[in-house]
Amino acid sequence: MSTNDLELYSSFSLLSTNDECRCHDNDEVRSSNKTKINDRYIQLNIHVSNIVIFIISLHKYNIYQCRKKFSVDTSLLSHKFLVHLINRIFNLNSNFIIKTKNNFVITDDFDVDGCIMNYTDETILELKVDQYDTNNEYSMNENNINDNYDLIEIENDSIIVTIKSISHRQETLLKKATNWFYGTVNTLSNKCLTKKEFHLMLDTTNGRLLNEQLLRQRIYENGCEESIRSIVWCYLFRVFNETMTNEDKKQYLIKATEQYNEMKQSWQSKKELEIITLENLIQKDVTRTDSSEKFFCNKTNSSRQKLFNILMTYCIYHPEPGYVQGMTDMVAPIFYVIRDEPLVYACFCALMRYMSPLFHLDGIAMNRRLDLLRKTIQAIDLELWHKIKQCDTSNFMFAYRWLLLDCKREFPFKDIFRVFETLWASLSIDQFELNNNNSDTDIDDLSPTSIITRHYLSRISSRTNTILSSCSCSPGLEESLSEYSSIDGCDSGYRDEHSTSLFDLNLNYSKQENIPIIPCIPLEKWLKNFSSIHNENEYSDMFTIFLCVALLEQNRSSIMQMTTFNVDNDDYIGSHFTRLSRKHDAQQALQLARHYHRQYVVFQIRIKRLQLIND
């Protein structure tokens, strides 16, 4: 085992034996309670237990008229609210009575609370509205109702009732004065995951992670301390998982190092023209990647040589998509954090299981992301969308680099770690899992499932799937590269094809203990544009899209002031963002991206629950 391996393993031991930090969780790994939706789950742990699904059917003189389905924040529910909602939806004049399906009349808040107390996530609250003449004894008036809710109507007579966004509420003078004096207070903690907190997430007897969902939630909210980042990232990529003990991790590091060295030596001993060409191509990009950072210019740590080895090994054993410009940008931060070459290779393979479609020649995944960005900014900020269309002749091609590299080049290098770990934590776990049962591919990617179950590896696996065995069959690298667009410019070179799904939108209704409960999230009207998702797989990487939207919003005032007469070329917006490369405010961008992403996830969860009524 290398020195770096031993250092990393010793840190596991330290984290699992600290006497001052005791974990109060059970030894068994907790499995999250998940509401099944089309055999898919959402990974992000956003509580939706404060939502009630109910059906209101309207009857006139005991004759059925129609019905509506509602998803309502429980904090809104009261008798007056129900009266106001029914009047608003069915255009009535309070000449009705509200009953349960068992004909129990609801007349006050006590009755409403009784209905809610018996409600669970697996049940639907059914209410019946009987309309009568205005002189009926049950007639009601709605006075002093605070209209603090919004309606988002979706298909199939379904309505999402949400707390009105703060931006649309009228603030009292006292509230305005308080905000001015103290500043706006963020109720969510802005403290990143500390080393001590991470101690508490590990079993003190064997070092096993007790609650993976909680870990990912904490990283999504605020990231982690630099001192534990290397270990946390291994968990985010599923190179380490909740079933692995300290001994498992130790054995994995030993065997993964052996396997990686064998794979690396296999191409180092070859001198075919294609391998030499690949070496020259990768070496050129490695030399330029993050060249302003001292770590990568330090000849004593051989960092550039190790980056080169990782990329060469990956491309040899993954001829599809092979090497594409931009891969160096993605592996460099991982190497900077983890520093161990075999472990970095394993993490990079996991990342590429999520990102590799973006690097394919067909351009399908990139076209899909571009289309999704256009749709999202049009939904959120129509005025800005029109301005971009007016000034941008490339149809959003200035964002090509953002979408390909998950905005890596838009923030200072020191901030990209927090950006990446937040983004990776927002993804479902299966984005980093292998999607097949090919054990050879598992070994080539140093998958822990296959590596730690094999005592020794006698030879390089999956040789027939590498370019070592297919030099005469594969196209020339220079010819292939010419078909790619440059990530530094706006010449895309790809076609306007309809995209097919390569991703998941996985919905998870977690009720785990210790997961921070998020207050009711106001949902804004722009979400209605995402109410009809026929293919969930195309919307799994929305955090990247919202991060791009945040970049546009950060530069909104500059974009809105642009005219076609005050610039020197046609790429107005592209030139603007080129000058701002690595200068954007990462903290502000993450805050805004999370703001949109939380709304989006909760909205999709609530839509799915309403859809279950039809199913």
Side-chain angles (χ1 to χ4, degrees):
M1 183 185 295
S2 68
T3 302
N4 286 339
D5 291 337
L6 291 171
E7 290 176 352
L8 188 59
Y9 174 62
S10 65
S11 66
F12 296 137
S13 302
L14 172 65
L15 290 173
S16 63
T17 57
N18 190 324
D19 292 335
E20 296 179 1
C21 303
R22 296 295 180 187
C23 182
H24 302 290
D25 289 330
N26 295 328
D27 288 345
E28 296 299 323
V29 179
R30 296 184 177 184
S31 60
S32 59
N33 297 325
K34 299 177 180 179
T35 300
K36 192 169 184 180
I37 294 179
N38 299 327
D39 296 324
R40 296 295 184 185
Y41 309 94
I42 260 194
Q43 190 61 42
L44 192 60
N45 291 316
I46 293 182
H47 273 286
V48 290
S49 56
N50 50 2
I51 301 300
V52 174
I53 304 296
F54 62 82
I55 298 174
I56 297 180
S57 57
L58 175 64
H59 296 72
K60 188 170 184 178
Y61 304 112
N62 293 320
I63 300 175
Y64 171 79
Q65 303 293 316
C66 62
R67 77 168 192 168
K68 300 281 186 180
K69 295 167 289 184
F70 298 86
S71 170
V72 181
D73 292 333
T74 54
S75 60
L76 288 171
L77 285 176
S78 67
H79 184 257
K80 288 184 177 181
F81 163 78
L82 282 178
V83 173
H84 188 273
L85 178 67
I86 292 169
N87 279 330
R88 182 171 173 180
I89 295 298
F90 296 108
N91 296 317
L92 304 180
N93 295 311
S94 297
N95 53 325
F96 57 83
I97 55 177
I98 307 173
K99 300 179 181 179
T100 66
K101 66 177 181 179
N102 296 322
N103 290 320
F104 175 80
V105 178
I106 299 175
T107 60
D108 54 28
D109 290 346
F110 182 81
D111 295 336
V112 174
D113 291 342
C115 295
I116 301 303
M117 287 175 62
N118 296 321
Y119 177 83
T120 66
D121 290 345
E122 289 74 31
T123 61
I124 299 171
L125 182 60
E126 296 185 46
L127 299 178
K128 178 181 177 182
V129 174
D130 283 338
Q131 184 180 12
Y132 292 102
D133 295 330
T134 55
N135 60 356
N136 187 274
E137 60 176 315
Y138 288 110
S139 297
M140 298 168 286
N141 295 317
E142 47 165 331
N143 298 320
N144 302 319
I145 294 293
N146 183 13
D147 189 6
N148 63 339
Y149 66 92
D150 279 328
L151 304 179
I152 303 178
E153 298 189 35
I154 56 180
E155 56 190 16
N156 297 323
D157 290 324
S158 299
I159 300 172
I160 291 178
V161 186
T162 178
I163 294 175
K164 187 171 290 186
S165 174
I166 294 176
S167 60
H168 296 113
R169 299 182 201 166
Q170 289 188 347
E171 289 187 315
T172 64
L173 291 176
L174 176 60
K175 183 66 175 178
K176 291 180 180 179
T178 304
N179 287 342
W180 174 84
F181 187 76
Y182 292 104
T184 301
V185 178
N186 183 2
T187 56
L188 292 175
S189 171
N190 59 1
K191 185 180 180 181
C192 66
L193 179 70
T194 64
K195 187 175 182 179
K196 184 175 182 179
E197 284 182 278
F198 187 67
H199 289 163
L200 297 174
M201 295 181 178
L202 300 176
D203 190 318
T204 56
T205 60
N206 56 26
R208 183 162 47 81
L209 182 66
L210 292 168
N211 194 327
E212 185 173 6
Q213 299 288 63
L214 175 58
L215 174 65
R216 299 180 74 88
Q217 178 70 27
R218 287 290 285 113
I219 301 304
Y220 172 81
E221 293 294 344
N222 300 113
C224 66
E225 284 184 352
E226 183 179 354
S227 61
I228 58 173
R229 183 164 280 147
S230 60
I231 304 174
V232 168
W233 281 21
C234 289
Y235 278 110
L236 289 180
F237 287 126
R238 301 282 291 168
V239 172
F240 296 158
N241 58 56
E242 70 282 358
T243 67
M244 296 173 70
T245 64
N246 280 340
E247 182 61 26
D248 291 332
K249 297 166 194 171
K250 179 180 178 180
Q251 291 301 315
Y252 171 79
L253 288 171
I254 294 172
K255 294 180 180 7
T257 299
E258 294 174 357
Q259 172 68 8
Y260 174 77
N261 287 335
E262 287 185 36
M263 296 169 66
K264 182 171 64 174
Q265 291 169 7
S266 68
W267 61 262
Q268 287 178 333
S269 61
K270 302 290 184 179
K271 297 300 178 183
E272 283 87 348
L273 177 60
E274 186 173 7
I275 293 180
I276 294 174
T277 305
L278 179 61
E279 289 176 340
N280 294 335
L281 191 62
I282 293 177
Q283 189 64 62
K284 184 188 302 182
D285 283 348
V286 166
T287 303
R288 297 183 296 186
T289 300
D290 296 314
S291 57
S292 61
E293 298 301 319
K294 292 182 179 180
F295 174 79
F296 293 108
C297 296
N298 188 347
K299 296 182 179 180
T300 60
N301 64 14
S302 305
S303 57
R304 292 198 182 281
Q305 182 60 45
K306 293 177 181 178
L307 277 180
F308 170 79
N309 293 339
I310 292 166
L311 286 165
M312 277 295 299
T313 305
Y314 176 82
C315 294
I316 291 292
Y317 284 85
H318 300 80
E320 290 296 332
Y323 178 72
V324 182
Q325 185 185 17
M327 289 183 177
T328 54
D329 281 276
M330 304 311 297
V331 73
I334 302 175
F335 183 79
Y336 183 91
V337 168
I338 296 178
R339 308 290 173 96
D340 181 84
E341 188 175 330
L343 203 52
V344 172
Y345 172 82
C347 291
F348 181 64
C349 287
L351 176 63
M352 289 306 293
R353 287 195 280 275
Y354 159 64
M355 295 196 70
S356 61
L358 299 172
F359 293 96
H360 273 281
L361 280 169
D362 56 21
I364 291 177
M366 277 301 298
N367 272 320
R368 180 185 59 80
R369 277 196 170 188
L370 279 165
D371 289 340
L372 196 51
L373 176 58
R374 298 182 191 108
K375 175 181 179 179
T376 305
I377 193 62
Q378 185 176 11
I380 292 177
D381 193 335
L382 186 59
E383 185 182 14
L384 180 59
W385 156 258
H386 285 308
K387 189 64 179 181
I388 292 174
K389 284 190 65 178
Q390 175 186 342
C391 297
D392 176 43
T393 59
S394 64
N395 197 19
F396 271 77
M397 285 310 302
F398 63 85
Y400 180 88
R401 183 180 68 201
W402 303 358
L403 297 170
L404 180 66
L405 305 181
D406 284 338
C407 299
K408 190 257 183 178
R409 294 190 187 178
E410 314 317 310
F411 304 104
F413 185 77
K414 65 181 178 64
D415 295 334
I416 199 60
F417 311 112
R418 181 62 54 84
V419 172
F420 275 178
E421 65 195 13
T422 304
L423 190 156
W424 297 333
S426 77
L427 298 169
S428 59
I429 289 176
D430 63 1
Q431 295 289 352
F432 302 115
E433 300 281 5
L434 288 163
N435 295 322
N436 55 57
N437 297 319
N438 188 334
S439 59
D440 289 339
T441 304
D442 291 5
I443 296 173
D444 291 345
D445 283 1
L446 304 188
S447 169
T449 304
S450 59
I451 291 292
I452 63 177
T453 57
R454 295 177 178 240
H455 295 291
Y456 53 85
L457 300 169
S458 59
R459 63 177 184 172
I460 300 298
S461 64
S462 190
R463 180 64 61 87
T464 57
N465 291 328
T466 72
I467 66 172
L468 297 177
S469 62
S470 58
C471 290
S472 60
C473 301
S474 57
L477 289 171
E478 293 179 351
E479 178 182 350
S480 298
L481 185 65
S482 65
E483 298 181 44
Y484 284 89
S485 62
S486 169
I487 62 175
D488 295 312
C490 294
D491 179 16
S492 68
Y494 57 76
R495 296 151 298 283
D496 293 329
E497 303 175 36
H498 293 292
S499 64
T500 57
S501 169
L502 292 170
F503 300 99
D504 286 314
L505 171 61
N506 291 328
L507 301 180
N508 164 21
Y509 305 143
S510 172
K511 297 181 182 177
Q512 299 182 52
E513 297 178 11
N514 301 324
I515 300 244
I517 298 177
I518 299 176
C520 293
I521 299 177
L523 304 180
E524 299 170 7
K525 292 296 182 69
W526 63 267
L527 289 161
K528 188 174 182 179
N529 293 272
F530 297 90
S531 60
S532 299
I533 297 180
H534 302 293
N535 191 342
E536 293 176 351
N537 298 331
E538 297 190 8
Y539 291 84
S540 62
D541 47 1
M542 285 299 293
F543 194 88
T544 296
I545 302 300
F546 292 129
L547 196 58
C548 294
V549 171
L551 291 176
L552 291 171
E553 293 292 346
Q554 280 186 351
N555 293 271
R556 191 181 194 280
S557 60
S558 298
I559 295 174
M560 295 304 294
Q561 294 174 13
M562 287 183 181
T563 67
T564 58
F565 304 105
N566 59 9
V567 290
D568 298 328
N569 58 64
D570 293 335
D571 187 16
Y572 314 124
I573 298 180
S575 299
H576 172 79
F577 282 108
T578 298
R579 292 191 297 271
L580 292 177
S581 177
R582 305 184 191 276
K583 297 179 182 179
H584 287 96
D585 186 331
Q587 182 177 359
Q588 185 186 68
L590 283 175
Q591 183 178 0
L592 187 56
R594 277 191 291 257
H595 168 74
Y596 290 131
H597 186 254
R598 286 192 192 99
Q599 289 189 63
Y600 175 82
V601 172
V602 171
F603 182 70
Q604 292 304 320
I605 291 174
R606 295 178 68 171
I607 285 180
K608 296 304 174 186
R609 287 192 172 182
L610 285 170
Q611 288 178 345
L612 285 177
I613 298 176
N614 295 328
D615 299 337

